[in-house]
């Protein structure tokens, strides 16, 4: 659950831009009154293919974190700030805003259904969201964890529905929240009767050590809604918590109160041991050291792997045979994997049966393609785009991708914004001999000579206007042309993937050729 930036290569210095597909009507995602099957708020449409997320289009994002049963995301940028996406436009949070020393950066984050954690490079953990079962204080620094009276330095966090686990720099794991299904790993649920036939369970309000891992060096942790997974430095995989649908991969459905080693990844052959762990709502995924993709639990709605016939132990996904998987993510009913393409780039693979509850298009396979895929399939809209990681939420998916020409051709969300038609500086239309350059974020036009300093040629790649460059920390929203409301959009089936400016080859006979999209807009105005 608490997932994601899915690159498996450790501290990856790469950064990327954010793509989004699936539901965007944040307050109503997953609710029956939403309208069903893509019908709902026309200003917050279901995105059936990846769109450039306009509000973060000029932010260099280092990692994305999501929950397979949550409808919000946390993104960490290269400056160590957190950009949270939920009901409205993203909000930027600095560690100093939470009381940390100036210069402190966020290094990790975790999302659950209704609470989130942030981890600073000073080892501090902050929390926000619900606190009904002791999973977190209300947006405050968490006290601890402590071991033998000494405060431990936290480097990573993972979050379930009503609990959290954290990992320290010396490989120790702590947990807090509800112990109802044994997900705290402390050997008990603490079930007790409180009144009449009503029962309650242990609630740990402060981090406690997870039992059975004292002599292990844990390097990664992950959470499903009510189960936990850990990976140690040797490649051993440990599981505990709720085992419905055999999601722990132990061959049975008995809940586990203290971490157990998954026999499949226990060696002795080192290449068959674990290298990366991923969790879904009712399944667990392990990539072994050969980069093979193994799954346990319920991951689809019919046939092998469904509720009637879940994978009781880890099985290799045959449709991914021959692929060396570098990362992946599991959403509400979606699955993604990243592997090498024939041209040396990255191929994104996606599948998910009956995705999703409201058919929000979170697979992002395209407006003319099925909204579900029973078997792993190449993600055609992302062909030619280097996807660094995938963060699959319950009804929405975010991709972290390197910008290139194919990336720039994708539509943007919101598709249209309230941008002026004449140059921002001179308020004139100089015709085709002096075309205006549009900002890749706000669509505001500028003549090359009106910029300070002026540009001699239209730049290649991305270009952002002075206003957007100056507002990197503000993350302000935009007004829609269609309704005048902040952050609203046009029809989800409308495609707008053309480039917003001419390429560097636009110089002809000493003049700049008008970008095709700009010219079309002028022709429409003249008519």
């Amino acid at each position: 659950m608490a997932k994601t930036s899915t690159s498996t290569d450790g501290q990856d210095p790469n950064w990327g831009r954010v793509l989004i597909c699936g539901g965007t009507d944040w307050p109503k995602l997953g609710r029956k009154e939403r309208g069903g099957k893509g019908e709902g708020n026309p200003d917050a449409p279901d995105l059936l293919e990846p769109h450039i997320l306009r509000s973060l289009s000029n932010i260099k994002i280092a990692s994305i974190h999501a929950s397979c049963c949550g409808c919000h995301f946390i993104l960490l940028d290269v400056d160590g700030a957190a950009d949270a996406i939920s009901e409205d436009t993203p909000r930027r949070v600095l560690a100093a805003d939470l009381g940390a020393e100036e210069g402190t950066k966020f290094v990790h984050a975790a999302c659950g259904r209704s609470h989130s954690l942030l981890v600073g490079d000073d080892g501090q953990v902050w929390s926000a969201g619900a606190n009904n079962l002791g999973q977190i204080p209300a947006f405050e620094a968490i006290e601890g964890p402590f071991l033998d009276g000494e405060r431990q330095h936290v480097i990573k966090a993972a979050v379930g529905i009503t609990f959290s686990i954290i990992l320290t720099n010396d490989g120790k794991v702590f947990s807090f929240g509800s112990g109802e299904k044994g997900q705290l790993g402390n050997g008990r649920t603490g079930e007790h009767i409180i009144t009449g036939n009503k029962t309650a369970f242990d609630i740990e309000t402060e981090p406690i050590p997870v039992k059975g891992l004292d002599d292990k060096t844990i390097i990664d942790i992950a959470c499903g809604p009510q189960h936990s997974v850990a990976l140690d430095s040797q490649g051993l995989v440990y599981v505990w918590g709720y085992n419905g649908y055999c999601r722990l991969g132990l061959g049975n459905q008995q809940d586990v109160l203290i971490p157990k080693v998954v026999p499949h990844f226990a060696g002795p052959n080192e290449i068959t041991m674990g290298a990366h762990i991923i969790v879904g709502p009712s399944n667990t995924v392990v990539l072994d050291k050969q980069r093979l993709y193994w799954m346990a639990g319920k991951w689809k709605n019919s046939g092998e792997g469904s509720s009637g016939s879940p994978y009781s132990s880890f099985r290799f996904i045959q449709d991914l045979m021959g692929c060396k998987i570098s990362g992946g993510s599991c959403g509400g009913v979606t699955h993604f994997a990243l592997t090498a393409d024939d041209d040396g780039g990255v191929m994104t693979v996606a599948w998910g049966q009956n995705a999703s509850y409201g058919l929000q298009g979170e697979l992002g396979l395209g407006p003319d393609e099925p909204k579900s895929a029973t078997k792993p399939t190449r993600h055609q809209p992302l062909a030619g785009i280097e996807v660094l990681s995938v963060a699959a939420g319950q009804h929405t998916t975010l991709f972290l991708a390197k910008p290139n020409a194919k990336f720039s051709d994708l539509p943007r969300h919101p598709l249209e914004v309230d941008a002026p038609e004449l140059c921002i500086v001179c308020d004139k239309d100089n015709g085709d001999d002096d075309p205006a350059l549009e900002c890749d974020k706000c669509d505001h036009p500028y003549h090359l000579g009106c910029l300070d300093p002026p540009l001699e040629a239209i730049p290649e790649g991305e270009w952002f206007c002075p206003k957007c460059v100056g507002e990197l920390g503000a993350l302000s929203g935009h007004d829609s042309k269609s309704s005048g409301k902040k952050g609203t959009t046009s029809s989800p089936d409308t495609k707008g993937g053309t480039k917003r400016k001419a390429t560097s080859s636009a110089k002809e006979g000493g003049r700049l050729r008008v970008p095709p999209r700009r010219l079309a807009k002028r022709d429409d105005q003249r008519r």
Side-chain angles (χ1 to χ4, degrees):
M1 166 139 125
K3 266 222 62 313
T4 118
S5 155
T6 55
S7 171
T8 62
D9 297 326
Q11 299 297 322
D12 191 344
N14 287 338
W15 59 268
R17 304 295 193 197
V18 181
L19 298 175
I20 182 173
C21 65
T24 64
D25 194 0
W26 305 103
K28 294 185 178 180
L29 287 179
R31 298 183 180 181
K32 292 182 179 179
E33 66 268 24
R34 183 177 176 276
K37 293 195 175 181
E39 299 176 6
N41 184 357
D43 294 331
D46 297 336
L47 306 178
L48 305 183
E49 63 181 321
H51 285 56
I52 298 171
L53 186 57
R54 191 187 290 267
S55 58
L56 291 176
S57 60
N58 60 337
I59 307 295
K60 293 182 177 181
I61 299 297
S63 62
I64 307 177
H65 306 266
S67 165
C68 62
C69 62
C71 298
H72 68 286
F73 299 83
I74 296 178
L75 302 85
L76 303 184
D77 65 26
V78 294
D79 296 321
D83 303 307
I85 302 177
S86 183
E87 294 187 4
D88 290 305
T89 52
R91 171 195 174 196
R92 197 175 201 224
V93 179
L94 300 173
D97 299 335
L98 307 182
E101 293 184 4
E102 289 291 336
T104 302
K105 298 181 178 181
F106 294 122
V107 295
H108 199 260
C111 299
R113 174 174 291 175
S114 55
H115 75 286
S116 305
L117 300 182
L118 289 169
V119 181
D121 60 5
D122 59 353
Q124 178 65 61
V125 181
W126 293 268
S127 58
N131 190 34
N132 55 317
L133 291 174
Q135 57 266 47
I136 54 168
F139 209 22
E140 298 176 355
I142 293 176
E143 291 299 324
F146 293 95
L147 192 62
D148 298 327
E150 294 187 5
R151 187 188 186 96
Q152 303 298 297
H153 184 108
V154 177
I155 59 171
K156 185 173 288 190
V159 176
I161 291 180
T162 58
F163 75 104
S164 305
I165 61 177
I166 49 181
L167 175 66
T168 67
N169 59 354
D170 58 359
K172 304 304 178 187
V173 182
F174 295 80
S175 62
F176 52 102
S178 170
E180 178 179 357
K181 298 294 184 178
Q183 62 264 35
L184 296 185
N186 63 345
R188 54 176 289 166
T189 64
E191 183 177 6
H192 56 277
I193 298 175
I194 51 175
T195 57
N197 295 325
K198 188 175 181 180
T199 60
F201 301 88
D202 276 352
I203 296 174
E204 297 293 342
T205 58
E206 296 180 357
I208 60 172
V210 173
K211 293 185 177 180
L213 301 177
D214 296 343
D215 59 342
K216 313 298 180 184
T217 301
I218 303 300
I219 61 172
D220 198 8
I221 54 175
C223 287
Q226 293 179 302
H227 73 287
S228 305
V229 187
L231 176 70
D232 75 8
S233 56
Q234 292 181 300
L236 293 172
V237 177
Y238 303 84
V239 292
W240 65 99
Y242 183 49
N243 197 18
Y245 300 124
C246 306
R247 68 194 67 192
L248 300 183
L250 299 175
N252 58 57
Q253 296 196 60
Q254 183 178 350
D255 296 347
V256 177
L257 307 185
I258 294 178
K260 283 187 177 182
V261 174
V262 177
H264 187 91
F265 305 103
N269 191 347
E270 184 178 357
I271 63 173
T272 65
M273 300 179 77
H276 186 60
I277 51 178
I278 304 168
V279 290
S282 55
N283 67 287
T284 303
V285 174
V286 176
L287 306 183
D288 66 16
K289 294 185 179 181
Q290 302 173 89
R291 298 296 180 177
L292 301 182
Y293 190 102
W294 300 85
M295 180 102 76
K298 173 185 177 295
W299 58 277
K300 59 180 182 177
N301 294 334
S302 63
E304 289 287 318
S306 66
S307 58
S309 183
Y311 287 4
S312 59
S313 58
F314 282 88
R315 297 191 195 181
F316 175 59
I317 302 299
Q318 294 292 331
D319 294 292
L320 294 176
M321 183 181 295
C323 295
K324 298 294 185 181
I325 308 300
S326 59
S329 184
C330 296
V333 289
T334 56
H335 308 275
F336 295 87
L338 302 177
T339 186
D341 206 348
D342 293 337
D343 61 2
V346 176
M347 178 171 67
T348 304
V349 179
W351 69 103
Q353 192 172 10
N354 293 335
S356 92
Y357 310 108
L359 297 176
Q360 276 114 13
E362 51 269 66
L363 285 177
L365 298 177
D368 300 322
E369 298 296 324
K371 296 183 181 66
S372 65
T374 57
K375 293 184 177 182
T377 182
R378 182 188 180 101
H379 199 295
Q380 289 296 342
L382 293 175
I385 297 175
E386 183 182 355
V387 175
L388 303 176
S389 67
V390 186
Q394 185 173 10
H395 300 284
T396 311
T397 305
L398 298 189
F399 303 91
L400 186 62
K402 279 290 186 183
N404 60 14
K406 181 68 185 295
F407 179 97
S408 298
D409 285 340
L410 292 173
R412 295 184 290 173
H413 173 69
L415 187 64
E416 296 292 340
V417 293
D418 190 11
E421 298 170 351
L422 301 177
C423 174
I424 294 296
V425 179
C426 68
D427 197 31
K428 295 179 181 179
D429 182 351
N430 294 339
D432 295 352
D433 291 341
D434 187 13
L437 176 64
E438 287 185 348
C439 173
D440 271 313
K441 179 177 180 180
C442 67
D443 280 356
H444 286 194
Y446 292 80
H447 290 124
L448 302 185
C450 291
L451 292 168
D452 184 17
L455 293 178
E456 295 183 359
I458 294 178
E460 292 189 48
E462 299 174 312
W463 181 80
F464 302 103
C465 70
K467 178 176 179 290
C468 289
V469 171
E471 292 179 349
L472 283 178
L475 298 178
S476 57
H478 299 274
D479 294 335
S480 168
K481 286 183 179 179
S482 59
S483 69
K485 293 182 180 178
K486 194 172 189 178
T488 56
T489 104
S490 57
S491 168
D493 294 326
T494 303
K495 299 187 74 172
T498 54
K499 248 189 146 8
R500 270 67 181 174
K501 54 188 177 294
T503 62
S504 58
S505 61
K507 201 166 184 178
E508 298 178 349
R511 295 181 179 181
L512 287 173
R513 177 164 42 86
V514 180
R517 180 178 181 272
R518 209 74 172 111
L519 182 59
K521 185 183 291 187
R522 287 203 185 102
D523 289 343
D524 289 341
Q525 292 164 2
R526 288 165 185 160
R527 286 194 291 269

